[in-house]
């Protein structure tokens, strides 16, 4: 792997290798040295966890970063093309991490520059490093990625994390429940991929009836900023609110995951239950991102 653009390009072997490396990095069983390495973190869209966990990941291992958050202080404002910006950045950095509002922007970046590119989210399309840290979190809490029953809840159309995660899990024989408002269902191209692999998925509106079956519930935010008409968002914004009460008869191994940020889709009383795992999930992101950079830059350990 030279770049990480889409989970569609990542084999189950690659996934397991990255998880194994993240485990070793977290347990400090290996010493990866990023000293002298420079990562460019280019965020054309807002970010908290992805941006700061990449920064943490690089800096904790002795490397350095430079960052862009929005375009207001860059030459993009003067009309510079994305390709010229990327070419210039590639003259300075060893690796580019990029989040962009346009689907396909990361693939374009990878085709433009010679250094490795990591997609940190491209519009509604993909968010592969999130999927990798989600898989790491699933492996840690369930002991395996195989044969799990996973409920994905919320905005499955515009939320990119569920696209990457469902594709990534499809090599591990999952059973999916997709719970969303009818206008925000999982896109057909994802469902077609699942159909081709013979994966069982059920599209439902009410998550309550399947709670007792789930190993993982992956909750997502309704993607307000991606709605063209605000009233359409207002109609669906409270479709799913996960409360402590909803978790009454879940399995012992059950965990709630969320890529964060949450708005109102998980109430605060869930945080104190043994099922809440979303903040540990964010922490896992640092080790997984260290593993990804190590692998793409071919660093010795
Ligand atoms: C997600 C994203 O940017 O797609 N956030 C993240 O990276 N953890 C989820 C979201 O914004 O809803």
């Amino acid at each position: 792997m030279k770049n990480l653009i889409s989970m569609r390009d990542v084999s189950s072997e690659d996934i397991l290798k990255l998880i194994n490396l993240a485990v070793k990095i977290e347990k400090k069983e290996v010493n990866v040295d990023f000293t002298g390495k420079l990562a460019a973190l280019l965020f054309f869209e807002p970010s908290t966890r992805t941006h700061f966990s990449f920064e943490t990941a690089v800096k904790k291992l002795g490397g350095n970063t430079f960052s862009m958050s929005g375009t207001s202080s860059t030459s993009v404002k003067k009309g510079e093309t994305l390709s010229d910006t990327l070419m210039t950045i590639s003259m300075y950095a060893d690796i580019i991490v990029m989040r962009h509002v346009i689907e396909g922007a990361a693939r374009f970046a990878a085709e433009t520059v010679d250094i490795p590119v990591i997609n940190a989210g491209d519009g509604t399309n993909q968010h592969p490093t999130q999927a990798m840290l989600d898989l790491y979190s699933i492996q840690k809490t369930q002991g395996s990625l195989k044969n799990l029953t996973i409920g994905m809840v919320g905005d499955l159309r515009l939320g990119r994390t569920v696209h990457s995660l469902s594709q990534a899990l499809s090599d591990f024989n999952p059973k999916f429940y997709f719970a969303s408002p009818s206008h925000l269902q999982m896109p057909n191209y994802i469902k077609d991929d699942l159909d081709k692999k013979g994966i069982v998925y059920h599209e439902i509106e009410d998550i309550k009836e399947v709670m007792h079956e789930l190993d993982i519930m992956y909750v997502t935010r309704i993607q307000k900023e991606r709605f063209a008409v605000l009233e359409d968002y207002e109609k669906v914004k409270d479709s799913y609110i996960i409360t402590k009460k909803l978790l009454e008869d879940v399995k012992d191994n059950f965990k709630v995951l969320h890529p964060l940020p949450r708005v109102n889709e998980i109430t605060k009383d869930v945080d104190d239950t043994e099922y809440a795992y979303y903040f540990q999930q964010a922490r896992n992101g640092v080790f997984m991102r260290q593993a990804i950079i190590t692998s793409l830059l071919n660093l010795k350990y």
Side-chain angles (χ1 to χ4, degrees):
M1 273 203 313
K2 189 196 161 209
N3 305 295
L4 179 56
I5 306 300
S6 164
M7 285 315 291
R8 250 190 136 191
D9 310 332
V10 183
S11 68
S12 53
E13 290 79 29
D14 290 335
I15 289 173
L16 295 173
K17 266 192 219 157
L18 284 170
I19 289 179
N20 283 338
L21 182 54
V23 169
K24 287 189 185 138
I25 291 174
E26 180 171 2
K27 291 188 177 159
K28 296 192 167 38
E29 287 172 8
V30 290
N31 243 331
V32 195
D33 191 1
F34 286 12
T35 308
K37 297 289 175 206
L38 191 51
L41 310 180
L42 308 182
F43 283 79
F44 291 80
E45 263 193 351
S47 172
T48 300
R49 271 147 295 270
T50 308
H51 192 159
F52 295 132
S53 71
F54 264 113
E55 198 161 327
T56 308
V58 173
K59 288 184 173 167
K60 277 202 164 176
L61 294 179
N64 231 316
T65 62
F66 63 89
S67 286
M68 186 190 94
S69 299
T71 56
S72 57
S73 63
T74 69
S75 287
V76 175
K77 276 280 162 214
K78 301 180 189 171
E80 186 168 54
T81 61
L82 181 58
S83 109
D84 281 4
T85 301
L86 289 165
M87 275 304 287
T88 307
I89 299 289
S90 75
M91 299 293 133
Y92 311 144
D94 298 291
I95 189 162
I96 289 177
V97 176
M98 185 175 87
R99 169 171 291 185
H100 202 282
V101 59
I102 298 172
E103 290 82 11
R107 179 86 61 201
F108 172 78
E111 285 165 5
T112 304
V113 299
D114 286 332
I115 60 174
V117 173
I118 297 178
N119 182 6
D122 61 326
T124 61
N125 185 31
Q126 284 276 322
H127 194 346
T129 67
Q130 179 69 44
M132 283 308 310
L133 78 90
D134 295 338
L135 294 170
Y136 186 34
S137 301
I138 294 171
Q139 170 75 38
K140 276 171 81 172
T141 58
Q142 309 298 315
S144 168
L145 297 178
K146 283 200 199 116
N147 307 325
L148 298 171
T149 301
I150 298 185
M152 294 191 176
V153 181
D155 190 343
L156 306 185
R157 183 163 72 97
L158 304 171
R160 53 196 169 201
T161 65
V162 287
H163 304 160
S164 295
L165 183 59
S166 53
Q167 283 178 329
L169 279 166
S170 66
D171 284 331
F172 299 95
N173 193 36
K175 174 178 176 186
F176 288 125
Y177 286 105
F178 295 145
S180 67
S182 56
H183 296 307
L184 299 178
Q185 285 179 345
M186 193 63 94
N188 286 334
Y189 71 92
I190 302 274
K191 290 188 281 191
D192 290 346
D193 278 354
L194 298 177
D195 285 335
K196 275 185 211 138
K197 290 188 173 177
I199 303 300
V200 176
Y201 61 87
H202 301 284
E203 296 187 285
I204 56 176
E205 285 215 20
D206 190 1
I207 189 77
K208 218 181 284 168
E209 63 212 37
V210 301
M211 288 303 293
H212 63 281
E213 266 192 66
L214 300 181
D215 298 303
I216 294 285
M217 176 163 62
Y218 192 91
V219 186
T220 63
R221 170 180 75 89
I222 308 287
Q223 305 278 299
K224 180 180 182 183
E225 70 278 23
R226 304 196 195 280
F227 280 70
V229 181
L230 195 61
E231 283 117 64
D232 291 344
Y233 167 73
E234 296 291 335
K235 278 185 215 148
V236 291
K237 68 175 192 204
D238 295 329
S239 302
Y240 296 96
I241 298 183
I242 309 303
T243 60
K244 187 175 175 180
K245 189 159 184 339
L246 187 71
L247 310 182
E248 264 166 5
D249 66 341
V250 295
K251 288 163 72 170
D252 289 345
N253 59 312
F254 172 81
K255 291 286 181 242
V256 182
L257 268 57
H258 191 309
L260 302 177
R262 76 173 141 183
V263 183
N264 64 344
E265 57 278 358
I266 303 177
T267 56
K268 281 287 282 175
D269 62 358
V270 175
D271 295 5
D272 301 326
T273 68
E274 67 199 275
Y275 308 117
Y277 194 73
Y278 23 92
F279 291 111
Q280 292 99 314
Q281 182 186 354
R283 180 171 182 270
N284 290 337
V286 173
F287 308 116
M288 180 45 80
R289 289 179 167 124
Q290 287 173 333
I292 291 167
I293 294 174
T294 301
S295 158
L296 295 184
L297 285 179
N298 256 320
L299 298 177
K300 299 270 170 298
Y301 55 88

